[in-house]
Amino acid sequence: MASHPVAETVRQRRTVYSFRPESLPEGLIEDLLEAACHVPNHKHSQPWRFVVVRGKAVGRLADLRVELQRERAAKDGRPVGDLAAFRAEVAQAAAVVYVVQAVAEDEKRRQEDYASCMIAVYVLQLVAWERQVGARWNTGQLTRGEAVRSFLDLGAREEIACCLLLGYPEQVPPDWSRKPLQDVTRYIE
Ligand SMILES: Cc1cc2nc3c(=O)[nH]c(=O)nc-3n(C[C@H](O)[C@H](O)[C@H](O)COP(=O)(O)O)c2cc1C
């Protein structure tokens, strides 16, 4: 019987929302990033840049998340919510990997580069999953605004594509149901 390990990993991977308080082995993040650099990439522009937040810096990023929540609540005139929970969401991660796009002048190039960055994020997630490491893709507060840019020390022509919170899963959410294939597919023969 043929074995299809990639297809299996694709099916089994889940977004992980809670992590065990365990650090990642030396070199693991580098292995993930190295794999991510092998994605399809038109013109071989290699637009991805990675900023790895780990060690004590994860706590500083968690503090920043709390500040951002406070600011947003004040601006919108809404209750600030459970700040300890906002902090814990970030602080529980063993590392946070930012995928940053080097932004090209040309619009078409920017679109294609963004696509490559997104594929890199997915590969990173899949290879992590193969090593029993879970990831949560984030495009929320942690990826927006000047304070985050400054924390990451980004250059003027670098944009945050997203960040991935990484760690050993405490819990793996159940799978969710997809539309039947016939509802999303047309054949032309
Ligand atoms: C472009 C993109 C942005 C996402 N942004 C967030 C986010 O900001 N916060 C979050 O919790 N999950 C985010 N996710 C994760 C999705 O919510 C998650 O993939 C979805 O619920 C399906 O679950 P699964 O990954 O276990 O299949 C994002 C996923 C993608 C592809």
Side-chain angles (χ1 to χ4, degrees):
M1 192 127 94
S3 136
H4 301 289
V6 175
E8 276 310 301
T9 309
V10 165
R11 282 203 177 79
Q12 286 165 6
R13 181 211 56 84
R14 295 272 66 78
T15 290
V16 171
Y17 298 93
S18 57
F19 302 106
R20 300 200 303 268
E22 238 177 275
S23 53
L24 303 175
E26 193 67 35
L28 184 134
I29 289 180
E30 287 71 20
D31 287 351
L32 306 184
L33 301 181
E34 204 280 325
C37 294
H38 288 263
V39 297
N41 172 225
H42 198 36
K43 307 288 184 192
H44 299 175
S45 58
Q46 304 185 58
W48 45 78
R49 305 285 179 267
F50 305 112
V51 182
V52 180
V53 180
R54 61 181 172 185
K56 290 204 171 78
V58 174
R60 296 202 296 278
L61 184 64
D63 291 337
L64 176 58
R65 174 71 185 90
V66 167
E67 276 318 301
L68 295 172
Q69 181 62 22
R70 273 209 188 92
E71 279 169 24
R72 188 169 66 172
K75 186 165 160 265
D76 299 347
R78 285 193 291 154
V80 75
D82 184 348
L83 290 179
F86 281 111
R87 189 179 189 285
E89 265 187 25
V90 182
Q92 62 165 345
V96 182
V97 172
Y98 277 83
V99 178
V100 171
Q101 180 182 345
V103 178
E105 293 285 344
D106 178 68
E107 192 192 339
K108 174 92 169 128
R109 174 105 326 279
R110 282 202 300 277
Q111 280 177 1
E112 291 177 346
D113 282 350
Y114 182 68
S116 274
C117 284
M118 293 294 99
I119 306 168
V121 173
Y122 185 47
V123 165
L124 220 155
Q125 232 182 343
L126 284 182
V127 179
W129 191 257
E130 281 185 335
R131 314 272 184 101
Q132 286 78 51
V133 172
R136 177 177 182 179
W137 188 319
N138 189 292
T139 48
Q141 286 277 300
L142 273 179
T143 64
R144 298 186 202 148
E146 270 315 307
V148 177
R149 290 186 64 85
S150 156
F151 183 91
L152 301 174
D153 196 20
L154 296 189
R157 297 208 63 81
E158 291 183 320
E159 291 292 341
I160 299 169
C162 74
C163 68
L164 280 179
L165 284 77
L166 295 176
Y168 290 103
E170 177 140 270
Q171 237 188 342
V172 175
D175 200 1
W176 45 285
S177 83
R178 273 76 180 174
K179 294 174 183 172
L181 200 53
Q182 66 263 27
D183 290 4
V184 295
T185 311
R186 286 190 298 127
Y187 294 93
I188 299 173
E189 292 173 327

